Amino acid sequence: MSWLTEVRAAAVLLDGVATRTPVQDSRALTQIAGVDVWLKCENLQRAGSFKIRGAYVRMSRLTQAEQARGVIAASAGNHAQGVALAARLLGIDAIVYMPVDAALPKLAATREYGAEVRLVGTSVDEALVAAQAESDRTGAVLIHPFDHRDVVAGQGTVALEILEQVPDVATILVPVGGGGLAAGIAATVAELRPDAKVIGVQAARAAAYPPSIAAGHPVRATELHTMADGIAVGCPGQVPFDVIRQSGCEIRTVGEEDLSRALLLIAERAKLLVEPSGAAGVAALMAAPGAFAGPIVAVLSGGNIDPLVLLRVVRHGLASAGRYLQLRVVITDAPGALAGLLAALAATGGNVAHVQHVRTGTDIAIDEVEIEVQVETKGPAHCSQVLEQLRVAGFRVQNT
């Protein structure tokens, strides 16, 4: 059976279950890329990500005996919610293993859908080992997050929608962790629109696919330290790896700065809330704005972000975008000196967000004090202006 046949069969199963998520044009990204850019909003999908598609297809095809034994899954959060929701819809008991530092909103949502949550290990890979052991012990069916044909076919239904919504799409940018979503999209596009290009995007600090493709088989990533926890997967699945390799799907990587800038732009200009992993495709576009043929569709794969992570990422994104300046300024430790510095900053048009005194250090004299100042600015040009005006005014300034 061809992949397209499987994906179309999955679409029938998902009718009335998964939401047909909208595509939204982005003038901001269109200006950056120089071609039309659309956002496929899987962050607005049920349970907050595309994962319900593959999870439901896989679980709906279990035999009655298998469903009676229950299911087990492992996830950082999005697959967990997809499995939990699918289990509730199908009347199946579900146990989900999640890393101990899983985002609290993802943890809470998984429990609210009715799944039992067990916290194990510090990564999806460690949670998956525990889930497999429990499946072997109890006979409950392991619902793998990406390494199964039914799961890949379910995720491929995203491509069916994209090709109907943006028929002339030339490039589809897809976040990649284990590879299920990219594989499903690539397999579908290869049969329906072989002239269109699918590009997978991984976080550089959790990138297993580039070395795997070079080696010709799945290879474990050397590190998993990224804000994009939804795509922080140690090793590709064999099923999606084979599809991605055979389809010629290009894999790119993006840094943490790229991810934070993309997340900030999506929030500011598209008015959409996404998690860092969901912004990976946009990050690749912003990092290499002229590299892709248009029209472009960037898949926003998920919107389940911890508010605390959002706060940190937004701050980081503001700094990366030149909207947030952190300075160290040495002034005389005397009455009125701090007021003089703040007046000078006010004259630049910068808004002081935080001030801290540091009175000891190897590089300051006994009659000096170092002031750490966080300043909200209007962009990179304004940052340079603030620094220049302070230096002209005689202040010893260090941009941190």
Side-chain angles (χ1 to χ4, degrees):
M1 185 184 298
S2 73
W3 273 111
L4 181 57
T5 300
E6 291 189 51
V7 171
R8 284 176 169 161
V12 173
L13 288 173
L14 290 170
D15 185 29
V17 175
T19 300
R20 180 185 171 90
T21 54
V23 293
Q24 177 176 312
D25 66 311
S26 172
R27 284 185 293 176
L29 289 170
T30 293
Q31 290 175 346
I32 290 171
V35 294
D36 289 340
V37 177
W38 299 80
L39 304 174
K40 175 60 172 171
C41 301
E42 283 295 289
N43 57 309
L44 303 180
Q45 183 58 259
R46 294 184 72 176
S49 84
F50 69 95
K51 288 290 190 176
I52 181 62
R53 297 174 184 265
Y56 186 88
V57 171
R58 171 79 173 101
M59 292 163 63
S60 68
R61 288 174 171 167
L62 297 177
T63 66
Q64 287 187 344
E66 289 172 328
Q67 291 188 7
R69 294 200 298 271
V71 298
I72 290 177
S75 168
N78 287 342
H79 180 61
Q81 291 174 76
V83 167
L85 175 56
R88 190 179 75 180
L89 294 173
L90 293 165
I92 302 172
D93 292 333
I95 297 172
V96 180
Y97 284 80
M98 301 177 72
V100 295
D101 60 350
L104 294 180
K106 295 181 179 181
L107 182 64
T110 303
R111 286 174 171 152
E112 287 170 8
Y113 285 128
E116 177 187 343
V117 175
R118 299 178 182 177
L119 301 178
V120 175
T122 59
S123 68
V124 175
D125 296 82
E126 292 180 11
L128 189 56
V129 170
Q132 183 66 67
E134 182 70 2
S135 173
D136 293 341
R137 187 183 70 83
T138 65
V141 180
L142 177 69
I143 307 301
H144 199 283
F146 46 82
D147 201 15
H148 194 281
R149 288 188 71 93
D150 287 343
V151 173
V152 171
Q155 321 306 27
T157 59
V158 174
L160 293 180
E161 294 176 15
I162 290 173
L163 295 177
E164 292 175 0
Q165 292 165 321
V166 188
D168 58 343
V169 61
T171 306
I172 303 175
L173 299 171
V174 190
V176 175
L181 177 61
I185 291 175
T188 305
V189 169
E191 294 191 52
L192 286 176
R193 279 287 312 281
D195 57 312
K197 192 169 185 179
V198 178
I199 297 176
V201 185
Q202 289 206 291
R205 294 171 62 179
Y209 263 91
S212 297
I213 291 173
H217 58 83
V219 172
R220 188 163 296 278
T222 56
E223 65 173 330
L224 289 174
H225 300 292
T226 175
M227 69 177 78
D229 63 321
I231 53 175
V233 176
C235 190
Q238 189 66 55
V239 172
F241 172 79
D242 288 343
V243 174
I244 287 172
R245 187 183 181 210
Q246 291 165 11
S247 68
C249 175
E250 179 186 345
I251 301 293
R252 292 191 173 220
T253 60
V254 292
E256 303 298 289
E257 301 278 341
D258 300 320
L259 289 166
S260 61
R261 281 196 296 268
L263 188 147
L264 184 63
L265 182 138
I266 294 167
E268 278 193 319
R269 303 300 299 276
K271 317 305 179 188
L272 292 168
L273 185 64
V274 299
E275 57 193 282
S277 58
V282 173
L285 185 155
M286 293 176 66
F292 311 109
I296 299 169
V297 174
V299 180
L300 306 181
S301 57
N304 297 312
I305 186 169
D306 186 329
L308 292 176
V309 174
L310 177 61
L311 179 61
R312 291 197 299 268
V313 171
V314 167
R315 284 178 174 171
H316 189 78
L318 286 170
S320 297
R323 297 276 304 281
Y324 194 77
L325 188 61
Q326 187 156 313
L327 308 173
R328 289 181 181 176
V329 185
V330 176
I331 62 175
T332 302
D333 192 5
L338 176 58
L341 171 61
L342 296 179
L345 282 168
T348 70
N351 182 46
V352 176
H354 179 74
V355 177
Q356 180 178 348
H357 286 69
V358 179
R359 281 192 160 83
T360 58
T362 57
D363 56 348
I364 56 176
I366 194 170
D367 60 343
E368 294 179 328
V369 61
E370 185 177 75
I371 307 297
E372 294 185 356
V373 190
Q374 295 173 355
V375 184
E376 296 172 355
T377 69
K378 301 171 185 177
H382 190 208
C383 285
S384 299
Q385 180 186 345
V386 169
L387 290 168
E388 180 61 23
Q389 287 186 224
L390 288 178
R391 287 170 179 146
V392 168
F395 291 99
R396 290 163 51 193
V397 183
Q398 181 181 355
N399 180 12
T400 61

